[in-house]
Structures are given as C-alpha cells and as structure tokens.
Amino acid sequence: MEKKNEKILILDFGGQYTQLIARRVREQHIYSEVIPFNMQSGKIKAMQPSGIILSGGPASVEQDGAPFCDPGIFTLGIPVLGICYGMQLTAKMLGGKVKKAKDREYGRTEVLPEDKSGLLKDTKDVTVCWMSHTWQVTEAPTGFKVTGSSANCPVAVMEDRDRKIYGVQFHPEVTHTEEGKTILRNFLYEVCDCAGDWTMDTYLETVVTAIRKTVGEEKVLLALSGGVDSAVTAALIQRAIGDNLVCVFVDHGLLRKNESEQVCSIFQDLFPVHFVRVDAASRFFADLKGVCDPEEKRHIIGKDFIEVFREKAAELGKIGYFAQGTIYPDVIESGQAVNASVIKSHHNVGGLPAELGFTELIEPLRLLFKDEVRSLGEKLGLPPELVCKQPFPGPGMAVRVVGEVTPEKVRIVQESDAIFREEIEKAGLTGMISQYFTVLTGARSVGVMGDERIYGNVIALRAVTTDDFMTADWVQLPYDVLCRVSQRIVNEMNDVCRIVLDITSKPPASIEWE
Ligand code: XMP
C-alpha cells in the first residue's frame, strides 16, 4: 500500500497519545505505523522508515523495569524524534540527565524558542505547548543543543542536527500545542525529507489492485453489520471483485429503529452487492430470555451470531476468503501492530473468522484510522448518512436495555432513541457529538398521565465526546434541545414517564450502560 521509503515508525511506550501521533503524521500526507517499543533496530532498518518517533508513556526512565528501546536505533542514521517520555529516554540513553522536576508541569505552557532554524522553524517567539510530565531532562547529552525552554523546564526542546536526533518535552500532537503541526511538519519535511504523497486516492487504487491480485477468481464473504467499517469494506471489495463478494447481514433485532431497512436499501438498491439478509431476531430474543448479566448477554449474542452466520455460509458454497472491517486502532489496541500486513492476514482481531473456520482473511482497512475510513467511504460513493454514522455496539440495544432484553423493551429504546437522534440532527449538533443514544434504565417511576397515576419507565439520555472511546466527556447539550427531547419522548410514548440525563464522564462510567 504505502510507498516503500515514505513511512514514519512510531515506537509505542504506552502513551495515551500514541495513536494521535500516527494520525497527525498521516494528516501531513505521510504514512505512519505504530510498532512496539522494543522492536530490534535491524528489523526497523529493514522497514526503511524515513523517520522514527518515540512516543510518550506513563513510566519514568529512572524506574526499575522502564521500557527502553534498542540503542541501535540511534545509530541507524534515520532521524529520531522523542516526545515527552521518548525525549527523556533519548537523553538517558545518550548520556544526558533526567530528574524529577520540582513542580509537575501540566497543561498549557509557554515555551521560548532559543533557536528557530531547526525543529522550531516558523514558530512564534513565545509558543504555547501542552506539557504533561513529572520528570524532565536537566542536561542534554553531548552533541545536543537546547533550542527551547519553559519556566519550569530548562530543556523543552533539544536537537542534535548532525545525528538528526531530536526531543521535545511537550506534546506536539495535541491541538493545545498551538504550533504542534508546524513543529511536526519541520521534523517530517525538513529533517526526514519526506515528500508527502500518502493520500486516500493512492490508497484506494493500490488496495483495489492488491485485493484483485490476492483473491483472483475466488469468492469473498463479508459479515455486514451496517456500521461504517463493514460498509466501506463491502464497497471497496465490491469495487475490486464485483459479484464475487457476498455480504451476509444478520439482523438480530437489536438494531436502531429502521436501521435494518436502511442497510438493505443501501446495499440492494443504491450500492448493489450480492446481499443476503438473515432475519434471526426471534432466535436471539429466545436465547436472551431471562438473562440479566451484561457479559452473559454479550456472550449469547456473539455465539448466536456465529451460529447463524455459519449456517448461512454453509449454504453459499465454496468461499475462498473471509473479509473483515478491522481498522487500525483495533489492531494497535489488540497488540497486533507488529507484522501487520496490508490486506491479508492469518490473524484476526475479533475472533470471528477463526470461529467460522476461515484461515484466509482479508482486512483492507487494517491500516486506516476511522476518519480515513470515512473519507475512503466518501470516495467510493457511499451515502453520507452511512459514512458519518456514529459507532454502534455489536450487541446493539441489548446493552442499552438494563437487565433482561425483550422485544418490547427494545422497542422502547428504539423509539426514544429515534426521537433523541432526530432532535440532535435538527439542532445541527451531530458533528459535535461522538456518540448519543437513549437507555432503558430498568428503573420504574411514578408519574401522572391524564388523570391516572402510572408506574412507568425511566429513560436516560447519554451523549459523549471522545477522541478514541477509551475516555469520554459527557456533552453539555443546550437546554432547549433537552427540553424538546424530553417533551417529545413522554408525549409520544405512553410507557415512559421520566427522562434523566447521564452526566458522567468515562472513567469512571463506561459509555454504554452495560
Ligand atoms: P464503553 O461502554 O466500553 O464503550 O465505554 C466504548 C465504545 O465501545 C462500544 N461498545 C461495544 N462495541 N461490542 C461492540 O462492538 C460491545 O460489546 C461493546 N460495548 C461497548 C460503545 O458503543 C462505545 O463506542
């Protein structure tokens, strides 16, 4: 996929922003990959990167068991940029000094560039950077020049231009670092001498050719969920091999209101692929009867899904490959980024192909971040309502009904959720919220409807913003929108008498209620 010589490798020391670094590099049109911190320098050299970035991380270089990279990395002649922990590690391994700071430095910090001819080229005289550290470099190694400092951090930027080794104590990848983009750009284009030719158009072309070559005349089976990733995977493979792609859509009855119909109409009418819909709702509801434990629900849904899918696959005759919409964050988080192959892999993240007995797997989105997947979807002509869809959990509404799942309870969440979504859309807020939905809380509450006292359901509204779904903030929705949602749900639904708002961040709460 990627140009052989145009790649940045990011060594992952466990920092919360590692994936963000990779995305920021790609935003500058340079392909990037996250690799384990301890990859041997010989292997790194063989991958022919244009540059190496050492990520931040929670450890201190002075503590026992701190993660160290192969020292050979610093003698490959390939440019290196250490960020936060990565900078401290660089200093420690090359003979500098790292000490615990008197004051922990956290948040927006003014950095004063002392030399703007290298990493800090084109930055302001006082540049606002995002710091988050307790330890810091107090003495740069021999050969390094300190080119920037802050009030509490004497070595905020250090550069050894001869060896092309650089370090920044702050995080250029976060938007709070106002000139982070410029600083990264200086490293990528001035130091690493990149050309910047990574685009979705070239990716699309290369991946379509690669799929054709891998698959030949064989049939490919794809489990279509209706989500963005599997939909883009379908469109991409369809572009490559046409009717030899078979999409199986298992409708477990736990989707959002009208979602099943939407998926069918897109993939049968608008974007025709060989499409098979299996209506398996009654089977899922029967197996979920009486089950209240969230993990048990997930387990049953996963098991049923595999069984239904396996039965259908058996009816379809010989299938050569199984396709999956695995995306890069899944690969990184499951620790499989090493040896990640571009479109074909005998490993899998979700476990589905192994359960189904498939060994030949194609994962054409395996190297892409979510925003890249969406942009690829647009290029392939998928409709915006599908490409911009918010994420939806595999077990669907089952994790939004607290306790036992029944068709009636699922209907209540579906109806309330549809109203919530409609009002959010009408208010033009969709782009500002990462995920929003309603939950049937399981609580019952007294209310008065007409002249009657009722003991009705309590619906919770959940809306969050997040970068990576690992942490999230609740959204402060405008009162007038909340007011309309609340009024509409209680007016339009007889069995709901109270609406509450979930104002918990993650952590400690998860995004879903179950
Ligand atoms: P939590 O609730 O763990 O959710 O904070 C983080 C993100 O993951 C989604 N989610 C799931 N997705 N199967 C899925 O495919 C699941 O069992 C599952 N549980 C949570 C959730 O919607 C959110 O986007």
Side-chain angles (χ1 to χ4, degrees), residues 2 53 209 223 230 263 291 301 337 392 402 441 445 447 460 486 499 501:
E2 71 279 14
I53 297 180
T209 313
S230 68
V263 173
V291 180
I301 293 166
F392 187 67
V402 176
T441 61
S445 162
S486 167
I499 311 294
L501 179 64

Side-chain angles (χ1 to χ4, degrees), residues 190-260:
E190 306 286 331
V191 179
C192 301
D193 201 24
C194 286
D197 42 22
W198 160 258
T199 66
M200 269 307 115
D201 286 318
T202 48
Y203 184 83
L204 177 57
E205 234 175 78
T206 338
V207 86
V208 163
T209 313
I211 293 170
R212 280 193 196 123
K213 195 165 157 228
T214 305
V215 172
E217 295 301 311
E218 304 251 29
K219 277 196 162 46
V220 177
L221 182 66
L222 171 72
L224 198 62
S225 70
V228 181
D229 304 340
S230 68
V232 175
T233 307
L236 189 58
I237 301 178
Q238 201 265 356
R239 166 87 57 107
I241 60 165
D243 274 354
N244 275 346
L245 169 70
V246 185
C247 296
V248 174
F249 172 53
V250 177
D251 183 355
H252 52 23
L254 303 164
L255 296 170
R256 285 170 282 209
K257 189 179 176 185
N258 298 331
E259 190 159 26
S260 178

Side-chain angles (χ1 to χ4, degrees), residues 7-27:
K7 172 191 323 176
I8 297 292
L9 295 180
I10 299 151
L11 267 60
D12 184 9
F13 290 93
Q16 56 176 327
Y17 302 128
T18 306
Q19 284 193 35
L20 199 54
I21 302 172
R23 281 173 53 192
R24 293 287 179 253
V25 173
R26 291 189 189 186
E27 277 165 18

Side-chain angles (χ1 to χ4, degrees), residues 5-6 35 213 236 323 335 354 373 408 467 469 487 489:
N5 301 318
E6 189 87 349
I35 57 168
K213 195 165 157 228
L236 189 58
V373 172
E408 178 54 14
D467 265 341
F469 296 88
Q487 280 177 349
I489 295 178

Side-chain angles (χ1 to χ4, degrees), residues 6 18 50 65 67 100 111 134 159-160 183 256 274 294 309 332 355 383 462 468 495:
E6 189 87 349
T18 306
S50 306
K100 198 165 190 170
V111 169
T134 314
E159 308 183 18
D160 180 336
I183 295 165
R256 285 170 282 209
H274 184 160
F309 198 83
I332 299 174
E355 294 275 356
R462 181 78 162 140
D468 54 10
D495 31 22

Side-chain angles (χ1 to χ4, degrees), residues 38-46 70-76 78:
N38 54 1
M39 190 183 272
Q40 291 302 303
S41 60
K43 212 164 167 186
I44 290 178
K45 188 178 175 198
D70 182 341
I73 282 169
F74 297 109
T75 52
L76 292 174
I78 298 170

Side-chain angles (χ1 to χ4, degrees), residues 275-295:
F275 179 86
V276 183
R277 172 175 178 267
V278 191
D279 181 0
S282 51
R283 177 171 180 162
F284 281 82
F285 281 121
D287 289 348
L288 287 167
K289 199 162 189 289
V291 180
C292 294
D293 178 70
E295 283 313 301

Side-chain angles (χ1 to χ4, degrees), residues 298 391 393-395 435 469 506 510-512:
R298 281 190 170 81
Q435 206 172 1
F469 296 88
K506 172 184 178 176
S510 52
I511 295 175
E512 303 290 346

